[in-house]
Amino acid sequence: MRFLLGYGSCGIASGAKNVLKGLEGAFENTPFTVEKVGCNGLCFAEPIVEVITDDGESILYGRLTEESAIALGESAKNGSLMEENRLTEEELNFLKGQKRIVLSGCGKIDPESIESYIENGGYEALKKALELGSDGLIEEIKKSGLRGRGGAGFPTHIKWQSAKNSAGDEKYIVCNADEGDPGAFMDRAVLEGDPHRVLEGMMISGIAVGAKMGLIYVRAEYPLAVKRLNLAIEQMRHKGILGEGIFGSDFSFDFRIMMGAGAFVCGEETALLASLGGNRGMPITKPPFPAQKGFRGKPTNINNVETFANVSWIISNGGEKFAEMGTEGSKGTKVFALAGRVKRGGLVEVPMGLTINDIVFGICGGIKDDREIKAVQMGGPSGGCIPKNLLDTPIDYENIAKTGAIMGSGGMIVMDEKTCMVDMAKFFMDFTSKESCGKCVPCRIGTTRMLEILERIVDGKGNESDIDTLMELAESIKIGALCGLGNSAPNPVLTTIKYFKDEYLAHINEKKCTAKKCTALISYTIDKTLCKGCSLCSKKCPNKAISGEVKKSFSINNELCIRCGQCIASCKFGAIKIESGVK
């Protein structure tokens, strides 16, 4: 019997260390051991333990504590696994409908053991790649139809071919692990849960383009990923899989890890290269492209984590097998990180072509508290908000682009009826303006002006001409910005104006926030029929805006009220209401 404990960042943050302590204590002086694995994607139920019985049955336990972990361990010793904390059939639907390639090892193998990876077929694709050679590899990637999973969806084989064709005595492979979108955590989970898969993909790319060095640019906010990458590289070197004459061939390769400081703009490949070279992360115009002149001025192939994580599967199974999945223009699978108001948030990997509704409702169980879905933000700050009536859009690069959003790296933030779309646009514009490198005027100044207008609107000080000004600024930034960050920065604003213009007009003309979120455009009232006069709300109010006598109804002075929500959180009788509009 095996016990696999999810020990990625999400599991550890949820209490996996206490679960480990509980299980190890229960298993003392027994043959049972706990295997630490990465995140299996069911983040909504962490901490998770998967029990694999002697006859191969898989039983998932979720939301464990140290006490319930001890109980699980005791039940295993007694030969009868407990029923408590088992994930329900409904929750297990999360895994149905998925097709796991990139995530196939996450939650299944020990990410800190190269033997665990090799036992599951690891580095067999590398051996096959050495036999296929450069032209054979690029041909397989071409057959697969693999497109870059970092957001732009550029055909991978063209990048590889371009780097191969570029003359140079040195060439480099760069993995872009600078995952900076709010709500995105796909790359982190793969690096923490299956680092060798990414490293193997990079080495295969090295054979294809003629490179001997792989550089991994990962943000310093991912300490566990960095630790496991370093350990994996050390183990590879010990096994002779790195260095000179790998597997008895004339191929040599090695890795270096570079930790970035967390600048969102460094997700853009030329800014990333500048940072790799020790300079400030700022983009440059293209051409030349990195494939011609990249790191240290040498030909460089850059792909992101998920792209490289697909490579070994494609080489092992054949490009045509990969191309059988997906749509005509978007082949294979895509990993998505589901966050926000969805019931079962986590990591989902599905064939291209499913709809957003298939994922949100079919796999992730719908909306928390059974509220109405309003929109899904795709592509992070560079993406857009897709409204409820377009959620049957097939997920592929072209169809998502038609909505005004982008596929991006795969983040999906689900929003319900209580989300203010103007406030959401302001949130993303605030993020983008702060993350702008400042090199070009359209992005540096334009995003700041757009943010100022959005702040006026949510404060109830906007006018209808502001909408036209926002759209004019947005189009100017899209045309004039130097890099992809600036070009796409206006997308959240443009899509919210396109699909939710009525909310902008309500903020401007009626001075109301229909979602009751913008503090300047709402007011708090106490329903006298429900108020019991307990005075708790008055005691919790930090601004002394609530007054009244004990055992009599209280009232709120909205001139003093700062809409902090402390009173609502403290009221046990549901007497305090939020109203749209200012009193």
Side-chain angles (χ1 to χ4, degrees):
M1 196 178 298
R2 298 175 62 200
F3 295 81
L4 311 181
L5 170 62
Y7 218 71
S9 289
C10 54
I12 293 169
S14 300
K17 287 184 179 180
N18 290 332
V19 173
L20 178 63
K21 179 182 175 183
L23 282 175
E24 287 183 335
F27 290 159
E28 192 172 359
N29 300 320
T30 74
F32 296 129
T33 59
V34 184
E35 301 173 46
K36 292 187 287 186
V37 297
C39 172
N40 64 5
L42 288 83
C43 306
F44 65 91
E46 293 281 9
I48 286 176
V49 170
E50 180 180 10
V51 180
I52 301 177
T53 65
D54 293 337
D55 59 3
E57 182 186 3
S58 170
I59 304 171
L60 284 162
Y61 290 87
R63 304 176 186 87
L64 291 166
T65 62
E66 184 175 348
E67 292 72 22
S68 56
I70 292 171
L72 173 59
E74 293 296 333
S75 71
K77 288 194 297 186
N78 294 330
S80 178
L81 290 168
M82 70 181 195
E83 294 293 328
E84 295 80 1
N85 291 91
R86 292 193 186 194
L87 297 192
T88 65
E89 283 300 316
E90 184 181 356
E91 289 173 324
L92 291 173
N93 282 335
F94 185 86
L95 297 172
K96 296 176 182 176
Q98 293 196 45
K99 171 63 179 176
R100 294 196 160 192
I101 293 175
V102 172
L103 300 180
S104 60
C106 293
K108 298 295 183 182
I109 68 168
D110 180 353
E112 298 187 7
S113 166
I114 191 171
E115 286 79 11
S116 180
Y117 182 68
I118 291 172
E119 286 170 7
N120 286 272
Y123 295 111
E124 290 301 316
L126 179 61
K127 294 176 183 177
K128 185 176 179 182
L130 289 167
E131 296 173 3
L132 286 172
S134 175
D135 291 335
L137 287 172
I138 293 174
E139 181 60 27
E140 284 302 322
I141 297 299
K142 182 178 180 180
K143 287 179 186 176
S144 74
L146 177 65
R147 297 171 65 171
R149 297 303 197 240
F154 192 78
T156 302
H157 77 276
I158 295 178
K159 267 194 173 184
W160 288 22
Q161 187 71 58
S162 181
K164 180 197 171 183
N165 292 344
S166 297
D169 55 341
E170 291 180 35
K171 296 183 182 182
Y172 295 94
I173 304 299
V174 174
C175 177
N176 183 350
D178 190 59
E179 184 176 50
D181 289 5
F185 46 95
M186 304 78 59
D187 292 353
R188 172 180 60 75
V190 175
L191 292 174
E192 290 177 357
D194 200 359
H196 288 281
R197 181 177 296 273
V198 180
L199 299 175
E200 185 175 13
M202 291 178 69
M203 293 180 75
I204 292 170
S205 177
I207 297 170
V209 308
K212 295 182 179 180
M213 175 61 70
L215 305 166
I216 305 165
Y217 187 91
V218 56
R219 50 181 46 220
E221 294 96 329
Y222 287 177
L224 185 59
V226 172
K227 172 192 169 186
R228 288 178 176 169
L229 280 169
N230 276 314
L231 181 59
I233 292 167
E234 180 184 330
Q235 291 173 343
M236 291 171 71
R237 190 168 285 115
H238 181 72
K239 286 275 188 183
I241 302 176
L242 281 185
E244 302 291 326
I246 295 168
F247 292 137
S249 70
D250 59 359
F251 175 61
S252 301
F253 203 83
D254 213 332
F255 287 104
R256 277 174 48 197
I257 295 175
M258 165 73 176
M259 287 189 288
F264 180 67
V265 71
C266 287
E268 196 278 335
E269 58 185 17
T270 61
L272 183 154
L273 289 171
S275 182
L276 266 180
N279 300 309
R280 185 175 176 183
M282 302 177 92
I284 60 172
T285 55
K286 294 181 283 190
F289 294 94
Q292 286 81 46
K293 188 177 180 181
F295 182 65
R296 294 178 176 169
K298 305 295 184 180
T300 302
N301 176 62
I302 305 178
N303 292 119
N304 85 320
V305 169
E306 187 180 342
T307 310
F308 281 126
N310 275 296
V311 170
S312 62
W313 192 96
I314 291 170
I315 300 307
S316 292
N317 295 275
E320 292 175 349
K321 191 75 173 175
F322 188 84
E324 289 175 3
M325 297 175 281
T327 65
E328 183 62 31
S330 301
K331 302 296 186 182
T333 64
K334 181 73 188 77
V335 181
F336 294 97
L338 274 289
R341 295 298 302 169
V342 68
K343 281 183 180 178
R344 297 194 284 269
L347 292 171
V348 172
E349 184 175 2
V350 294
M352 294 274 200
L354 267 68
T355 69
I356 301 171
N357 272 332
D358 289 334
I359 294 176
V360 174
F361 290 94
I363 294 175
C364 296
I367 308 304
K368 287 181 180 177
D369 304 320
D370 294 320
R371 291 178 182 160
E372 285 292 316
I373 190 170
K374 180 181 272 190
V376 171
Q377 170 76 9
M378 279 193 71
S382 305
C385 296
I386 303 175
K388 177 181 178 179
N389 64 306
L390 293 180
L391 296 184
D392 277 325
T393 299
I395 296 174
D396 59 34
Y397 291 99
E398 287 72 28
N399 279 301
I400 294 298
K402 288 176 185 176
T403 69
I406 62 173
M407 181 84 74
S409 57
M412 280 193 191
I413 299 178
V414 181
M415 294 167 275
D416 66 15
E417 60 200 15
K418 293 198 172 185
T419 303
C420 172
M421 302 310 294
V422 186
D423 186 58
M424 182 61 65
K426 187 194 82 169
F427 168 82
F428 282 112
M429 189 52 63
D430 178 64
F431 178 89
T432 306
S433 65
K434 287 174 179 173
E435 293 291 340
S436 171
C437 75
K439 185 173 183 177
C440 69
V441 172
C443 184
R444 182 180 73 244
I445 304 299
T447 56
T448 302
R449 296 290 88 84
M450 288 184 73
L451 175 61
E452 289 171 351
I453 294 170
L454 290 166
E455 288 175 336
R456 276 207 312 272
I457 293 173
V458 299
D459 284 342
K461 299 173 183 176
N463 55 70
E464 284 197 41
S465 65
D466 284 337
I467 297 178
D468 293 329
T469 305
L470 281 171
M471 295 185 72
E472 289 172 13
L473 281 168
E475 293 304 325
S476 297
I477 296 168
K478 286 175 76 72
I479 294 170
L482 181 61
C483 77
L485 183 148
N487 298 146
S488 58
N491 286 346
V493 178
L494 289 172
T495 52
T496 50
I497 290 175
K498 180 179 180 179
Y499 299 120
F500 302 97
K501 190 173 182 179
D502 57 325
E503 291 196 31
Y504 280 85
L505 294 174
H507 281 68
I508 291 167
N509 296 329
E510 302 174 46
K511 309 302 177 189
K512 287 184 176 182
C513 174
T514 53
K516 302 178 182 179
K517 286 295 180 184
C518 298
T519 56
L521 300 179
I522 57 174
S523 56
Y524 284 17
T525 60
I526 296 179
D527 187 332
K528 297 185 182 299
T529 64
L530 296 175
C531 179
K532 305 300 182 183
C534 71
S535 79
L536 188 58
C537 60
S538 177
K539 293 174 183 176
K540 292 288 185 180
C541 180
N543 219 38
K544 295 182 170 54
I546 302 177
S547 59
E549 295 181 33
V550 176
K551 296 186 179 180
K552 294 184 179 180
S553 61
F554 280 63
S555 60
I556 298 176
N557 182 340
N558 270 287
E559 291 185 3
L560 295 176
C561 177
I562 59 173
R563 288 87 168 166
C564 66
Q566 289 291 318
C567 55
I568 294 176
S570 64
C571 183
K572 300 176 182 179
F573 309 105
I576 303 173
K577 309 294 183 184
I578 302 176
E579 295 184 1
S580 181
V582 181
K583 288 198 172 182

